[in-house]
Amino acid sequence: EKEANLTYHLIFPFLMTRVLHNQIWISVSRYRTAKGKNRIVDKGIDFEQVDRESNWDDQIILNGILLYLTNMIMPGASHLPLWRSDGFIIVILLHTGPVEFLYYWLHRALHHHFLYSRYHSHHHSSIATEPITSVIHPFAEEVAYFLLFAIPLMTVMFTGTASIAAIFIYITYIDLMNNMGHCNFELVPKWVFSTFPPLKFLMYTPSYHSLHHTQFRTNYSLFMPMYDYLYGTVDKSSDDLYETSLKRQEESPDIVHLTHLTTTDSIYHLRLGFASLASKPYAFKWYFTIAMWPVSCWSAVFTWFYGHTFVSESNTFNNLKLQSWVVPRYTMHYLLQREKKDLNYLIEEALLEADSKGAKVVSFGLLNQHEELNGNGELYIQRHPQLRIRLVDGSSLAAAVVVNSIPQETTQVLLTGRISKVGYAIALALCQKGVQVAAMNEDEYQKLQHSDCQFGKNLVLAENYDQKIWLVGEGLTDKEQLKATKGTVFVPFTQFPPKKLLKDCYYHTTPAMVAPKSLDNIHSCENWLARRVMSAWRVAGIVHGLEGWNVHECGQ
């Protein structure tokens, strides 16, 4: 009875371990492919693929249901010991023989045009694979695979040689090999095969299975290529691709966008985090925050001590290689005066690294270019005048996006919050166009009046708040926002969007632009922005690189 309870109660923890195992593979694969080292296929991933593969955990849920039912119904599936050597050997032999053999011929049959068009084409829709691509199949195909993998497990149960270790290790082995075969970077070192040459027939590599997704008619084997060798379906370029992928070095970016974490939940919304969350605009969910708070706390502690930026995303556009690097700090760190020195050190280190890798442009995202932190990036130019890279704060493009989003017939706007470099540029452009700009804050109004810019008579101090367009800067309070009249349009010129307190008003997103279709490998959202929408600050760096401008665009 005690052993039966152990078997039953271990199923759920085992399922959670499988989820964690798969998530680790997803994160590591996305990190490695973003850096480019040992990457196999260069084709990008899109949102369609992410959506198609978002139900990867369904097979774990189905597997869990079957394990519970089997444990309760089958006599040989309960009261299992932790370990039995004979059962473990039987599982190995049955997988190597019947399972691999039957899978090979089932797989070849699935590539017949009748079955391929109705079933297997769904799996092959992903040319550039991710670890979770391995379990994305139509339901009928999933059932067929479950029946195949059940052969060793059912055999040991019927023969009374089953053990908890044999069942859990076998399922973990299937997960491991599935994830490895679809991770899109080569990780099996050459010494493995040189030390034990027959292993070449008993274990495939990521590049070996990747060829099946690009060539379709070769490399059909499950995990052991021996049946491909036996029946002559090995792709002739398997060894060459393996060698080439192992030799491939980390990519050097042309343009780097330097961003940072925002809330403690934002780490899950990174491309390296949860794929389904990263593919949607960030939105606070209280239940998710509560459920994940232990992990969030540990990640916050880890980022406090981790002292190096990391690559989170890579894209290509017009032969330019783009990368997004993340400073491992949250927004709360940028608001603490004592963190200023540490933040500048991390940013400077990233700039010098990008410079050493031959990058042409670095654009500053979010608070990495805050005026109080580094004077909109001017600090780094003063400290490192020998920098070959060009620094871009994106203020000009951000201001242009805001100005062009205001309707032509507008005659007056209200300028709220603290006035940044972008705010100055917007106010000046609107005043020169004949639009009256009313400043809500008297201190900010005086700063504008005493600046070198010629605002003329169109800059005034606000006497009321009935303007229908509010330009929102940093520090707009809830009390001030509640003064807006019905139908007011809030247009932020900040890096962060304002709170949406009024249901009868309209809120624009932060300055941003839609990415062209030729910009490849976009499958995650930039913070709260919609799909394939990029912040103006990020776009500014790309434009700077495309135009080949040899000047900095930052500072005061």
Side-chain angles (χ1 to χ4, degrees):
E1 184 67 31
K2 187 176 181 180
E3 290 179 340
N5 288 337
L6 179 62
T7 305
Y8 184 85
H9 291 300
L10 281 178
I11 292 176
F12 182 74
F14 174 63
L15 296 177
M16 292 297 99
T17 303
R18 290 187 65 193
V19 172
L20 178 61
H21 180 197
N22 281 271
Q23 181 56 49
I24 290 173
W25 271 104
I26 295 168
S27 298
V28 172
S29 171
R30 288 190 162 197
Y31 176 69
R32 287 290 298 270
T33 53
K35 297 189 74 173
K37 185 176 175 62
N38 305 129
R39 190 170 61 213
I40 303 166
V41 177
D42 287 331
K43 187 179 185 300
I45 296 170
D46 54 24
F47 285 106
E48 183 182 354
Q49 178 173 339
V50 174
D51 291 340
R52 186 172 61 249
E53 298 178 351
S54 62
N55 62 339
W56 61 268
D57 51 353
D58 285 1
Q59 51 90 25
I60 296 179
I61 297 171
L62 178 59
N63 194 220
I65 293 171
L66 293 176
L67 283 174
Y68 276 116
L69 290 175
T70 304
N71 182 265
M72 291 186 291
I73 296 172
M74 283 191 63
S78 59
H79 300 81
L80 297 181
L82 281 173
W83 174 261
R84 280 195 61 154
S85 299
D86 51 356
F88 194 76
I89 294 171
I90 290 172
V91 169
I92 294 173
L93 293 175
L94 288 177
H95 176 84
T96 306
V99 173
E100 288 281 347
F101 176 78
L102 291 173
Y103 178 89
Y104 175 83
W105 286 107
L106 171 63
H107 198 178
R108 288 193 66 169
L110 286 169
H111 276 262
H112 184 276
H113 64 84
F114 180 82
L115 293 177
Y116 185 84
S117 60
R118 289 165 174 78
Y119 298 100
H120 202 51
S121 59
H122 182 73
H123 177 70
H124 274 277
S125 298
S126 303
I127 305 299
T129 59
E130 294 200 278
I132 51 177
T133 306
S134 60
V135 294
I136 304 304
H137 304 280
F139 182 71
E141 204 172 324
E142 290 280 8
V143 171
Y145 296 146
F146 272 124
L147 292 175
L148 273 179
F149 295 135
I151 292 173
L153 301 180
M154 289 299 179
T155 301
V156 293
M157 289 179 188
F158 281 123
T159 57
T161 56
S163 66
I164 295 173
I167 294 172
F168 287 1
I169 290 175
Y170 181 54
I171 296 174
T172 302
Y173 164 76
I174 294 169
D175 285 344
L176 174 67
M177 297 303 289
N178 265 332
N179 285 322
M180 186 183 78
H182 294 80
C183 68
N184 197 28
F185 69 93
E186 189 53 74
L187 54 81
V188 183
K190 290 180 68 175
W191 63 262
V192 172
F193 297 114
S194 59
T195 303
F196 187 63
L199 197 61
K200 179 180 181 179
F201 306 102
L202 299 175
M203 184 183 78
Y204 73 176
T205 64
S207 57
Y208 183 91
H209 188 70
S210 178
L211 279 169
H212 177 70
H213 277 263
T214 55
Q215 304 302 319
F216 299 104
R217 297 291 182 179
T218 57
N219 296 6
Y220 291 103
S221 290
L222 177 56
F223 307 138
M224 300 178 175
M226 59 182 177
Y227 290 105
D228 278 316
Y229 283 98
L230 183 62
Y231 295 109
T233 52
V234 175
D235 195 289
K236 294 179 180 179
S237 62
S238 296
D239 291 338
D240 290 339
L241 182 61
Y242 172 70
E243 296 273 356
T244 304
S245 301
L246 276 181
K247 293 177 182 177
R248 186 166 186 175
Q249 298 300 310
E250 185 176 317
E251 284 185 343
S252 297
D254 297 305
I255 300 170
V256 173
H257 180 64
L258 198 61
T259 184
H260 63 78
L261 300 167
T262 53
T263 66
T264 52
D265 289 346
S266 64
I267 195 165
Y268 311 115
H269 291 260
L270 285 178
R271 177 181 171 273
L272 309 181
F274 296 158
S276 58
L277 289 181
S279 67
K280 299 179 179 65
Y282 173 79
F284 173 76
K285 297 181 177 65
W286 64 268
Y287 52 87
F288 181 82
T289 302
I290 293 174
M292 297 300 295
W293 74 265
V295 181
S296 301
C297 289
W298 278 109
S299 66
V301 172
F302 177 75
T303 56
W304 195 286
F305 293 101
Y306 185 75
H308 194 71
T309 56
F310 58 89
V311 181
S312 68
E313 186 176 355
S314 64
N315 313 98
T316 56
F317 182 60
N318 285 15
N319 297 320
L320 289 177
K321 297 175 182 176
L322 322 176
Q323 286 186 354
S324 292
W325 294 6
V326 179
V327 176
R329 295 294 184 271
Y330 295 93
T331 299
M332 60 183 178
H333 294 114
Y334 287 80
L335 303 179
L336 298 174
Q337 185 65 27
R338 66 174 183 270
E339 293 294 316
K340 183 176 178 180
K341 182 178 179 181
D342 178 54
L343 289 168
N344 278 319
Y345 171 79
L346 288 171
I347 296 171
E348 282 185 65
E349 186 183 47
L351 295 179
L352 295 174
E353 182 181 353
D355 194 49
S356 66
K357 289 184 175 181
K360 301 173 183 176
V361 177
V362 173
S363 58
F364 296 109
L366 300 180
L367 298 179
N368 286 322
Q369 49 132 327
H370 199 269
E371 184 177 350
E372 295 179 3
L373 178 67
N374 50 44
N376 301 115
E378 189 172 0
L379 174 68
Y380 311 124
I381 299 175
Q382 295 173 352
R383 288 184 178 179
H384 305 282
Q386 77 285 1
L387 280 176
R388 291 168 297 177
I389 55 172
R390 297 307 168 201
L391 308 185
V392 177
D393 66 11
S395 56
S396 298
L397 185 59
V401 168
V402 173
V403 170
N404 283 281
S405 68
I406 297 173
Q408 292 288 336
E409 64 275 11
T410 302
T411 58
Q412 57 179 348
V413 298
L414 182 67
L415 193 62
T416 69
R418 291 189 294 274
I419 311 301
S420 63
K421 179 182 176 181
V422 177
Y424 272 93
I426 294 170
L428 179 62
L430 291 176
C431 286
Q432 290 176 347
K433 289 176 65 175
V435 178
Q436 186 186 75
V437 178
M440 174 183 280
N441 188 297
E442 185 173 357
D443 291 338
E444 300 299 331
Y445 170 74
Q446 294 298 335
K447 288 180 183 178
L448 290 171
Q449 284 283 39
H450 291 91
S451 67
D452 295 332
C453 301
Q454 301 298 318
F455 291 97
K457 296 180 180 180
N458 286 320
L459 178 66
V460 299
L461 182 63
E463 297 179 356
N464 53 58
Y465 306 105
D466 57 0
Q467 293 85 353
K468 287 301 180 182
I469 294 182
W470 285 32
L471 301 178
V472 182
E474 292 180 14
L476 176 67
T477 65
D478 294 351
K479 183 179 179 181
E480 290 171 337
Q481 188 178 158
L482 292 173
K483 294 178 180 178
T485 58
K486 182 179 180 180
T488 297
V489 178
F490 291 90
V491 183
F493 56 85
T494 56
Q495 297 271 11
F496 293 87
K499 289 182 184 178
K500 297 181 180 181
L501 298 178
L502 303 172
K503 294 183 179 181
D504 57 356
C505 294
Y506 304 95
Y507 293 83
H508 279 208
T509 184
T510 51
M513 303 178 75
V514 177
K517 292 182 179 180
S518 54
L519 205 159
D520 189 43
N521 202 37
I522 295 184
H523 51 274
S524 60
C525 292
E526 184 180 349
N527 298 314
W528 41 82
L529 298 176
R531 290 182 168 186
R532 295 196 66 85
V533 174
M534 303 174 74
S535 68
W537 292 271
R538 185 178 177 186
V539 175
I542 299 174
V543 172
H544 209 89
L546 286 171
E547 296 294 335
W549 292 328
N550 197 31
V551 294
H552 297 293
E553 188 200 328
C554 63
Q556 300 303 313

